[in-house]
Amino acid sequence: MRSSHSLWVTAKGTILSPRRDKLASAMKSESSNRRRTLPPHLVLRVDLGADLGLQRQIRQQLIDAIMGGAFAPGRRLPSSRQLARQLGVARNTVVLACEQLIAEGHLTARERSGLYVNDEIVKGLALAQRVVNPSSDDASGLDWSARIKAPAAVAAGWRCPPDWQKFPFPFVEGRFDRSLYPIVEWREATRLALGVRQVHEWSTDTGDADDPKLVQEICGKVLPRRGIKARPDQVLLTGGAQEALHLVTELLVERGTRVGVEEPGNVAMLQLLKRRGALLSHLSVDENGLIAGSDLDDCEILYVTPSHQRPTAATLSMPRRAELLGEARTRDSVIIEDDFECETNYLDDAYPALRSLPGGERVIYVADLSRALAPGLRLGFIVASPEIVAEARALRALTSRQPPLSVQRTAALFFSLGHYDKTMLRLGRIFRERMIALRDALNHYLPQSIAIAPVRGGTTFWVRGPEGLDARDLARSSETRGVLIEPVSHYYASAAAPANVFRMSVTGIQATKIRQGVATLAELIREMSAGKWLDPRKSKWLGPRELRKLIPGATFLYKTVYGEPCTIELQRNGQMIGRAGYANEDHDTGRWWIEDGLWCRQWQNWAYGEVSKYRTRIEGDRIQWFNAQGRLIDSAIFVRAGQAPAKVVSG
Amino acid sequence: MRSSHSLWVTAKGTILSPRRDKLASAMKSESSNRRRTLPPHLVLRVDLGADLGLQRQIRQQLIDAIMGGAFAPGRRLPSSRQLARQLGVARNTVVLACEQLIAEGHLTARERSGLYVNDEIVKGLALAQRVVNPSSDDASGLDWSARIKAPAAVAAGWRCPPDWQKFPFPFVEGRFDRSLYPIVEWREATRLALGVRQVHEWSTDTGDADDPKLVQEICGKVLPRRGIKARPDQVLLTGGAQEALHLVTELLVERGTRVGVEEPGNVAMLQLLKRRGALLSHLSVDENGLIAGSDLDDCEILYVTPSHQRPTAATLSMPRRAELLGEARTRDSVIIEDDFECETNYLDDAYPALRSLPGGERVIYVADLSRALAPGLRLGFIVASPEIVAEARALRALTSRQPPLSVQRTAALFFSLGHYDKTMLRLGRIFRERMIALRDALNHYLPQSIAIAPVRGGTTFWVRGPEGLDARDLARSSETRGVLIEPVSHYYASAAAPANVFRMSVTGIQATKIRQGVATLAELIREMSAGKWLDPRKSKWLGPRELRKLIPGATFLYKTVYGEPCTIELQRNGQMIGRAGYANEDHDTGRWWIEDGLWCRQWQNWAYGEVSKYRTRIEGDRIQWFNAQGRLIDSAIFVRAGQAPAKVVSG
């Protein structure tokens, strides 16, 4: 019987296989015509706790079934009584959902017969069934990587774990604490933006123009806080600051253009500049921001982050600002001012933007509005001369078009109703409290460790650990104790990155948790400085014989530096298979061997395909591997051939 | 008296200068302290007919006044009674608005004293006043155009007038008829996307991932209609098809890469390819779409628009599809399939996408969702091999980031509630009706003129006028009779553009108006073919003496080819000043003279700075100018020196 395959899910969310006896009796009472209308595999679910009402959930589920082809053309749907009984909801709820589906054209009702799928709405779907050879990339045999002329993907130096919100102490920057989101205010603005008149304004194809209301709000409410006066033809909206930087570099940089950048600096901007073939001059940064000295060479363009330097968070001092503008004038250079985190200038009056100072007419100003409006909204803007704005607008028309006008209008209303100012005020208070808590905790647990603190607002400290500490090791180890910090070496273009420096930020962690997080981190630093750095001569290493007994056929379970689970199978034939990621999406093969009492391995692609040789040690159910200097490189749950792991936990 | 400067705007929207006597008596009854609280210039407006409620409008107005610095720190605001009286609204409305402003931190209430601006919220604004030298681009003297390495702005061949909706017969393509927008459904989806749980999902910084719910809807509901089966790792969301094309060309094209493009073809894509330095092979198109013949040369990449060829609207036939895929396989080329207007395949079952056919694994599929979701929303996507999607994702992270996740989630809900299918069904019916009306009208009034009609859906006809007709002249003249059509020469890279061809589209015009629009156009074509092409030998031209009497000091008022107003002043000293655009944003200077009975002119920049010589004629209040062959080039309202124009109308 076909219907026995059906799975019905109750209102409580548990999946039931319908009891045959009950269903059979229900079926018996129906005509044979009616019986045929039950699709062979139908899974309907409602969730009483969900955001969406029951009626809407039923609608969604039925539409999925219709569009997924669950109901063959000409077949009648189950009766509303049947649906209601199986879902455990009132019949009226089902009736209302079905009535709406009829009104909308998904279903048709035939007099004295029942509900049917509207043939017209599923007509196009026949195509999917007709296609003989659905394209399968897996079997294509095409070497796509050889066809990619300008690869964009680069090995990320450090990546925040995607589940960072589950860690108790996430001192990671720019991660959005959703408890801070002004949801009620955004809802109000959204509702208003959907008024008939408003929709008529923003749904029109306006060519390449932005919403004049939003431009007006930016000129009137945002820019005055930065000291900037701008006319509408000097402003262009973008999908965040990153897109603004993309447009500006596309216009002003070609192969061989010399650009001065901060060292350490904004990694994404460096990637953009490299794609354009720019020659880079790396300019030093200290606690007063960029040092505008003789290194400027013949830079045509200077890229700076004056409000809070990326990544050190240093604020460019007023004398340095004047000096920089003077140097730019002398050399006839253009300045790109990335006003990163300008929205968090709360501790005192902010310094005015470079764009607003004498000589500011050679500045192209770029800012982001995502701090107030949540990253999911993606709005930023450029302020520059009308010529640059006109060119950037033409380029934007080719590359991405303007940010959605629906979002622009919603943001305009959000601003005009005062929600932006209010939110900035609230965020300012909250971040200030958190920054003070972090400062105090660092001064208590890790005295003298704050190397650079932003002097005007900001949300990040540049922290220096003890000499000899490797911040990458620390970050990896602290993650296992729930503390996320960010190492800094990937911000450096040169090899001069200080190994013992890391960043701690407050955008994602509540003030009450900060002290404990810092205490945990400090304890780990002490442990690492004291015990974990094993003396190669004293340790009880695994010897060649032990290695040959333990390793062949074993499996290592651990976490990558990106916090993703990783499995390595060491096959007896010397082959090695690695799988990483939550869905094993990343994999590689390689070989392993034993040589001079060291465990050696080489991946095809991972770890740059280089040969690595490790001393190893067993502690409990874990294997640890160390480099020649005795530094712990990593550790993993160790499963010997034929065994099952006792318990899989993160490494 | 300061307060006499105040302007108050009544509830009806008319601006009143307050009557001194009334205001003076109101002031007299208040304390001197209270008097000081009236800002010198305060304009408050409410509009009873507006979308926003009165209370919200008062809030907006007060916030603008506060943030604009209208209330000095420490000064009390006008009393609610005063505000209410002046605005002509109930006092309670004002009180409620002010209460909310207090709750939000814009105002503070002091016991027994009144309302004051919250110092904290205006603190940052002090900056704007402190800045000594607000940057003025106008005085910078910087030559920005010399610094732009890769200009994006190009002379547009034809531009739709921005006020196209005011024309009775706008046969222009891709312009969104806002009466078709599914506003109620979009509102529902938006409201749901703002539920607490939904916001928590989309407001999180997800790195470079798209909303998995939207990807799932695209795989489940949109792609099956095109015959395409795709996994989530084969799909990438973009801000419309244009951004998708940008990402793909950035990845696959470098200087010297040979790309086959359709001729005529998509202008914006050609611009992208030229920016990358591609070598272009222009491939012919007929009523069955691209001809995949020997012209393919050694093209590494083929860019095609199979559903409805841009701009001819031809549908690529099934045999041609197979042939094209075969050629691509033979040459090991990659195909970029721009599935333009795939959403309007309503006349019959659509042809399956190239991506879904055998060999489709070498196809990168690009589509836009703006037809259903309104252009203001900007969503499109790529379907390709996981390698390409991963690279495009990395590039997107550098150039623009993903489309706003708030919009993505709203779209996902819009799809899941069945609104997409329903809207497509409705649009399909409407466009079908309009296309039939246009076909019938063309066949009646301009028989044999349809050169190419889309055979599966589509919204545009490729129309051929009589031999000798110049479609650009026709478009300019028809605009003055309210009919907008699109000439096609700008779609051609070569000089082979047929002069007498134009496009007529139905996306912006209602079915009931189509017949009259076509009749008007046909009448104009007959007139142009018959009378307006003056025989140079027979006409009563202005002679040298008349020209010398009439032209010096005269002004011409007319419209540019872009439909924008334009004024030319012909000064007595032989100088000429031109201003174009709604705000005179475009201007140029030049010289004029009289030579051999011809009026001659040369602009600095306009008209390529070339010398032009015209025969001229006066008809009523208009001057007409003709080329040497006697073809009417343009006409203008003619204002003689010292006269005022009788009435300014479009030329």
Side-chain angles (χ1 to χ4, degrees):
Chain A
M1 199 176 92
R2 264 187 158 178
S3 56
S4 67
H5 296 286
S6 307
L7 283 176
W8 297 90
V9 182
T10 68
K12 304 246 158 30
T14 37
I15 297 177
L16 293 179
S17 209
R19 267 186 279 149
R20 287 180 183 237
D21 52 349
K22 232 183 162 182
L23 195 66
S25 84
M27 299 290 289
K28 216 177 267 175
S29 71
E30 305 202 10
S31 72
S32 68
N33 173 15
R34 190 166 290 187
R35 192 174 305 156
R36 281 195 296 117
T37 66
L38 271 172
H41 299 279
L42 179 59
V43 180
L44 296 182
R45 272 190 298 182
V46 291
D47 173 6
L48 288 179
D51 264 1
L52 298 177
L54 281 182
Q55 199 183 313
R56 234 177 233 119
Q57 288 186 58
I58 295 168
R59 211 166 104 204
Q60 275 185 337
Q61 297 280 317
L62 284 174
I63 287 168
D64 277 347
I66 293 166
M67 304 316 280
F71 304 104
R75 278 220 179 135
R76 190 161 64 176
L77 258 64
S79 71
S80 58
R81 198 182 304 273
Q82 271 181 295
L83 289 170
R85 192 164 46 222
Q86 297 291 351
L87 287 163
V89 301
R91 188 178 160 214
N92 206 35
T93 313
V94 174
V95 169
L96 287 171
C98 289
E99 273 174 4
Q100 197 169 354
L101 290 173
I102 295 168
E104 287 173 351
H106 287 90
L107 298 178
T108 52
R110 297 190 198 154
E111 196 81 36
R112 301 184 60 79
S113 165
L115 295 179
Y116 293 81
V117 170
N118 180 359
D119 290 348
E120 212 181 349
I121 208 155
V122 292
K123 200 171 59 179
L125 295 173
L127 205 56
Q129 273 89 51
R130 234 172 45 197
V131 170
V132 188
N133 181 4
S135 66
S136 162
D137 290 312
D138 306 322
S140 75
L142 287 169
D143 181 5
W144 284 103
S145 60
R147 292 169 195 259
I148 292 168
K149 305 293 169 59
V154 292
W158 178 84
R159 246 183 352 189
C160 181
D163 56 347
W164 65 272
Q165 291 188 313
K166 293 181 190 141
F167 288 78
F169 311 111
F171 292 104
V172 281
E173 187 223 4
R175 303 294 145 174
F176 191 77
D177 177 351
R178 53 200 180 196
S179 69
L180 304 182
Y181 184 66
I183 182 166
V184 176
E185 292 79 0
W186 188 257
R187 269 196 206 123
E188 180 188 16
T190 308
R191 200 172 55 241
L192 294 172
L194 290 171
V196 173
R197 281 204 211 175
Q198 307 282 343
V199 170
H200 274 201
E201 285 181 37
W202 62 251
S203 68
T204 304
D205 190 339
T206 58
D208 52 15
D210 287 312
D211 184 355
K213 292 222 162 89
L214 180 57
V215 172
Q216 189 191 325
E217 292 292 331
I218 287 171
C219 291
K221 299 215 173 92
V222 181
L223 292 175
R225 287 189 182 274
R226 310 297 302 115
I228 298 173
K229 288 185 184 170
R231 297 190 311 262
D233 67 346
Q234 294 168 316
V235 176
L236 186 78
L237 269 296
T238 61
Q242 187 64 30
E243 189 184 354
L245 294 175
H246 167 60
L247 293 174
V248 171
T249 51
E250 282 285 315
L251 289 178
L252 299 182
V253 178
E254 64 184 354
R255 186 159 298 283
T257 304
R258 185 160 287 279
V259 182
V261 294
E262 295 160 330
E263 167 83 343
N266 173 7
V267 181
M269 181 60 168
L270 249 62
Q271 282 178 264
L272 282 177
L273 290 169
K274 281 182 191 155
R275 278 184 71 84
R276 294 295 295 167
L279 300 175
L280 300 180
S281 292
H282 298 281
L283 311 173
S284 303
V285 167
D286 66 12
E287 66 276 14
N288 291 315
L290 179 75
I291 304 167
S294 53
D295 296 340
L296 294 183
D297 298 340
D298 49 350
C299 290
E300 284 181 55
I301 297 169
L302 301 169
Y303 168 71
V304 288
T305 53
S307 270
H308 303 100
Q309 202 269 333
R310 268 205 265 192
T312 65
T315 304
L316 191 63
S317 67
M318 283 305 288
R320 288 263 178 93
R321 282 173 200 238
E323 198 184 337
L324 180 65
L325 285 162
E327 292 284 348
R329 177 172 227 123
T330 307
R331 292 157 207 270
D332 197 23
S333 315
V334 169
I335 294 174
I336 301 172
E337 175 177 24
D338 183 349
D339 205 4
F340 182 62
E341 289 216 326
C342 60
E343 296 171 315
T344 63
N345 298 304
Y346 48 82
L347 284 179
D348 200 338
D349 282 352
Y351 290 154
L354 292 173
R355 168 89 191 163
S356 74
L357 295 173
E361 62 276 2
R362 60 179 66 246
V363 174
I364 297 174
Y365 176 90
V366 164
D368 205 292
L369 296 171
S370 68
R371 190 66 73 195
L373 304 180
L377 298 168
R378 299 243 172 283
L379 278 177
F381 59 91
I382 296 171
V383 181
S385 79
E387 293 99 312
I388 293 289
V389 166
E391 276 289 335
R393 190 186 302 278
L395 181 59
R396 190 184 65 171
L398 288 181
T399 59
S400 59
R401 306 281 175 88
Q402 69 272 68
L405 289 167
S406 55
V407 172
Q408 291 199 32
R409 177 53 56 92
T410 307
L413 287 161
F414 186 87
F415 280 101
S416 78
L417 292 166
H419 297 322
Y420 178 76
D421 308 306
K422 186 180 97 178
T423 304
M424 285 299 101
L425 196 64
R426 190 167 67 94
L427 289 183
R429 286 185 192 137
I430 291 168
F431 288 150
R432 184 195 169 114
E433 183 195 359
R434 293 180 181 181
M435 280 296 269
I436 291 172
L438 180 56
R439 185 195 63 197
D440 293 351
L442 283 170
N443 286 342
H444 182 80
Y445 290 101
L446 292 165
Q448 311 295 326
S449 68
I450 298 177
I452 300 182
V455 299
R456 310 263 150 172
T459 57
T460 300
F461 286 113
W462 187 256
V463 184
R464 183 171 287 125
E467 285 300 317
L469 177 86
D470 188 318
R472 284 168 302 183
D473 292 344
L474 176 66
R476 220 180 308 177
S477 302
S478 72
E479 191 179 319
T480 65
R481 303 199 186 176
V483 182
L484 295 178
I485 58 167
E486 186 188 10
V488 302
S489 54
H490 58 290
Y491 289 111
Y492 286 79
S494 68
N500 59 337
V501 168
F502 52 95
R503 302 174 83 214
M504 295 184 78
S505 180
V506 298
T507 49
I509 186 167
Q510 288 180 3
T512 50
K513 289 191 162 177
I514 286 173
R515 192 182 174 101
Q516 198 191 333
V518 173
T520 307
L521 187 71
E523 194 185 319
L524 181 63
I525 290 175
R526 272 194 300 280
E527 279 176 29
M528 284 178 73
S529 309
K532 281 259 179 155
W533 296 66
L534 296 175
D535 183 338
R537 288 157 306 183
K538 290 187 194 155
S539 276
K540 167 93 189 67
W541 303 117
L542 294 180
R545 177 191 294 237
E546 289 157 307
L547 281 171
R548 264 185 227 106
K549 192 178 136 202
L550 289 171
I551 299 268
T555 302
F556 296 175
L557 307 170
Y558 69 115
K559 274 201 167 190
T560 67
V561 285
Y562 308 129
E564 290 170 345
C566 183
T567 309
I568 304 179
E569 266 179 65
L570 300 148
Q571 299 183 336
R572 289 181 193 282
N573 62 5
Q575 278 218 311
M576 179 169 73
I577 299 171
R579 295 187 188 84
Y582 292 96
N584 289 334
E585 57 269 26
D586 193 10
H587 49 88
D588 199 8
T589 54
R591 61 194 188 95
W592 70 268
W593 66 96
I594 293 159
E595 185 184 314
D596 298 335
L598 302 174
W599 169 57
C600 309
R601 70 175 194 191
Q602 183 177 27
W603 294 107
Q604 293 273 359
N605 298 306
W606 288 359
Y608 307 103
E610 287 174 357
V611 171
S612 304
K613 303 184 177 188
Y614 300 111
R615 291 182 192 285
T616 52
R617 215 173 72 150
I618 294 281
E619 279 230 330
D621 64 346
R622 302 184 76 83
I623 183 162
Q624 300 175 318
W625 54 96
F626 296 78
N627 69 6
Q629 289 73 44
R631 203 166 82 199
L632 178 68
I633 299 303
D634 218 330
S635 73
I637 304 275
F638 179 68
V639 188
R640 287 175 60 182
Q643 284 185 340
K647 193 184 144 206
V648 180
V649 293
S650 70
Chain B
M1 199 175 96
R2 265 187 157 176
S3 56
S4 68
H5 296 285
S6 308
L7 283 176
W8 297 91
V9 181
T10 67
K12 304 242 157 36
T14 37
I15 296 177
L16 293 180
S17 208
R19 267 186 280 148
R20 287 181 182 233
D21 55 348
K22 228 181 164 181
L23 194 68
S25 83
M27 299 292 289
K28 217 177 265 175
S29 70
E30 304 202 9
S31 70
S32 67
N33 174 14
R34 188 165 292 187
R35 191 174 306 157
R36 281 194 298 116
T37 65
L38 272 172
H41 301 276
L42 179 59
V43 181
L44 296 183
R45 272 191 297 183
V46 291
D47 172 6
L48 287 179
D51 265 1
L52 299 177
L54 280 183
Q55 199 183 312
R56 234 177 233 121
Q57 287 187 58
I58 296 169
R59 212 165 103 205
Q60 275 186 336
Q61 296 281 316
L62 284 174
I63 287 168
D64 276 348
I66 293 166
M67 304 316 278
F71 304 105
R75 279 221 178 134
R76 190 162 64 176
L77 257 64
S79 71
S80 58
R81 199 182 302 273
Q82 270 181 296
L83 289 170
R85 192 163 46 220
Q86 297 291 351
L87 287 162
V89 301
R91 188 179 161 211
N92 205 36
T93 313
V94 174
V95 169
L96 287 170
C98 288
E99 274 175 3
Q100 197 169 354
L101 289 173
I102 294 168
E104 287 173 351
H106 287 89
L107 298 177
T108 53
R110 298 190 199 154
E111 195 81 36
R112 300 185 63 78
S113 165
L115 295 178
Y116 294 79
V117 170
N118 180 359
D119 290 348
E120 213 181 348
I121 207 155
V122 292
K123 201 170 58 179
L125 295 174
L127 205 55
Q129 274 89 50
R130 236 171 43 197
V131 170
V132 188
N133 182 5
S135 66
S136 162
D137 289 311
D138 306 321
S140 74
L142 287 169
D143 181 6
W144 284 103
S145 60
R147 292 169 195 260
I148 292 168
K149 304 292 169 58
V154 291
W158 179 83
R159 247 183 352 191
C160 181
D163 56 347
W164 65 271
Q165 291 187 313
K166 292 181 190 141
F167 288 78
F169 311 111
F171 292 104
V172 281
E173 185 223 5
R175 304 294 146 172
F176 191 76
D177 176 351
R178 53 199 180 198
S179 68
L180 303 182
Y181 184 65
I183 182 166
V184 175
E185 292 79 0
W186 187 257
R187 271 199 205 118
E188 180 188 16
T190 307
R191 200 172 53 241
L192 293 172
L194 289 171
V196 173
R197 282 205 212 174
Q198 306 282 343
V199 170
H200 274 200
E201 285 180 38
W202 63 252
S203 68
T204 305
D205 191 340
T206 58
D208 53 14
D210 287 313
D211 184 355
K213 292 221 161 85
L214 180 56
V215 173
Q216 189 190 325
E217 292 292 332
I218 287 171
C219 291
K221 299 214 173 92
V222 181
L223 292 175
R225 287 189 181 274
R226 311 296 302 114
I228 297 173
K229 289 185 184 169
R231 297 190 311 261
D233 67 346
Q234 294 168 316
V235 176
L236 186 77
L237 267 297
T238 61
Q242 187 64 30
E243 189 184 355
L245 294 174
H246 168 59
L247 293 173
V248 172
T249 51
E250 282 286 314
L251 289 178
L252 298 182
V253 179
E254 64 184 355
R255 187 159 298 282
T257 304
R258 185 162 287 279
V259 182
V261 294
E262 296 159 329
E263 167 82 344
N266 173 6
V267 181
M269 180 62 168
L270 248 63
Q271 283 179 263
L272 283 176
L273 290 168
K274 280 183 190 156
R275 278 185 71 85
R276 296 295 294 167
L279 300 175
L280 301 180
S281 291
H282 299 281
L283 311 173
S284 302
V285 167
D286 66 13
E287 66 276 15
N288 291 315
L290 178 77
I291 304 167
S294 53
D295 296 340
L296 294 183
D297 297 339
D298 48 350
C299 290
E300 286 181 54
I301 297 169
L302 300 169
Y303 168 71
V304 288
T305 52
S307 269
H308 304 99
Q309 202 268 334
R310 269 205 263 191
T312 65
T315 304
L316 192 64
S317 68
M318 283 306 288
R320 288 266 178 91
R321 282 172 201 241
E323 197 185 336
L324 180 65
L325 285 162
E327 292 285 348
R329 177 173 228 124
T330 308
R331 292 157 206 270
D332 197 22
S333 315
V334 169
I335 294 175
I336 301 172
E337 175 178 25
D338 183 350
D339 205 4
F340 182 62
E341 289 217 325
C342 60
E343 296 171 315
T344 62
N345 298 303
Y346 47 83
L347 284 178
D348 200 339
D349 281 353
Y351 291 154
L354 292 173
R355 168 89 191 162
S356 73
L357 295 173
E361 62 277 1
R362 60 179 65 246
V363 174
I364 297 174
Y365 177 89
V366 164
D368 205 293
L369 296 170
S370 67
R371 190 65 73 196
L373 304 180
L377 298 167
R378 299 244 171 283
L379 278 177
F381 60 90
I382 296 171
V383 181
S385 79
E387 293 98 311
I388 292 289
V389 166
E391 277 289 336
R393 191 185 302 277
L395 180 60
R396 190 184 66 172
L398 289 181
T399 59
S400 58
R401 305 283 175 86
Q402 68 271 69
L405 289 167
S406 54
V407 172
Q408 291 199 31
R409 177 54 55 94
T410 307
L413 287 161
F414 185 87
F415 281 102
S416 78
L417 292 166
H419 297 322
Y420 179 76
D421 308 306
K422 185 180 98 179
T423 304
M424 284 301 102
L425 196 64
R426 190 166 66 93
L427 288 184
R429 285 184 192 140
I430 292 169
F431 288 150
R432 183 194 169 113
E433 184 194 359
R434 292 180 181 182
M435 280 296 269
I436 292 172
L438 180 54
R439 185 194 65 197
D440 293 351
L442 283 170
N443 286 341
H444 181 80
Y445 291 101
L446 293 166
Q448 310 294 325
S449 69
I450 298 177
I452 299 183
V455 299
R456 310 264 151 173
T459 57
T460 299
F461 286 113
W462 187 255
V463 183
R464 183 170 288 125
E467 283 302 315
L469 177 86
D470 187 317
R472 284 169 302 183
D473 292 344
L474 176 65
R476 221 180 308 176
S477 301
S478 72
E479 192 179 319
T480 64
R481 302 197 187 177
V483 182
L484 296 178
I485 58 167
E486 186 188 9
V488 302
S489 54
H490 59 289
Y491 290 112
Y492 286 79
S494 67
N500 60 335
V501 168
F502 53 93
R503 302 174 83 213
M504 295 183 79
S505 179
V506 299
T507 49
I509 185 167
Q510 289 181 2
T512 50
K513 289 190 164 179
I514 286 174
R515 192 181 174 100
Q516 197 191 335
V518 173
T520 307
L521 187 72
E523 194 184 319
L524 181 63
I525 291 176
R526 272 192 302 279
E527 279 175 29
M528 285 177 73
S529 309
K532 281 261 180 155
W533 297 64
L534 296 176
D535 183 339
R537 288 157 305 179
K538 289 187 195 156
S539 274
K540 167 86 189 72
W541 303 116
L542 293 180
R545 179 191 294 236
E546 288 157 309
L547 282 171
R548 263 184 228 108
K549 193 178 134 200
L550 289 171
I551 299 269
T555 303
F556 295 176
L557 307 169
Y558 69 115
K559 275 200 167 189
T560 67
V561 285
Y562 308 129
E564 290 170 344
C566 184
T567 308
I568 303 180
E569 266 179 65
L570 299 148
Q571 299 183 334
R572 289 181 191 279
N573 62 5
Q575 279 218 310
M576 181 169 71
I577 299 171
R579 295 188 189 82
Y582 292 96
N584 290 332
E585 58 268 26
D586 193 10
H587 50 86
D588 198 9
T589 55
R591 59 195 188 94
W592 69 268
W593 65 97
I594 293 159
E595 186 184 314
D596 298 334
L598 301 174
W599 169 56
C600 310
R601 69 177 194 191
Q602 184 176 27
W603 293 107
Q604 293 273 356
N605 298 307
W606 288 358
Y608 307 102
E610 287 173 358
V611 172
S612 305
K613 302 183 178 188
Y614 300 111
R615 290 182 193 284
T616 53
R617 214 174 71 150
I618 295 283
E619 279 231 330
D621 63 346
R622 302 184 76 85
I623 183 164
Q624 300 175 319
W625 54 94
F626 297 77
N627 69 7
Q629 289 73 44
R631 203 166 79 199
L632 178 68
I633 300 303
D634 217 330
S635 74
I637 304 275
F638 178 67
V639 187
R640 288 175 59 183
Q643 284 186 340
K647 195 183 141 205
V648 180
V649 292
S650 68

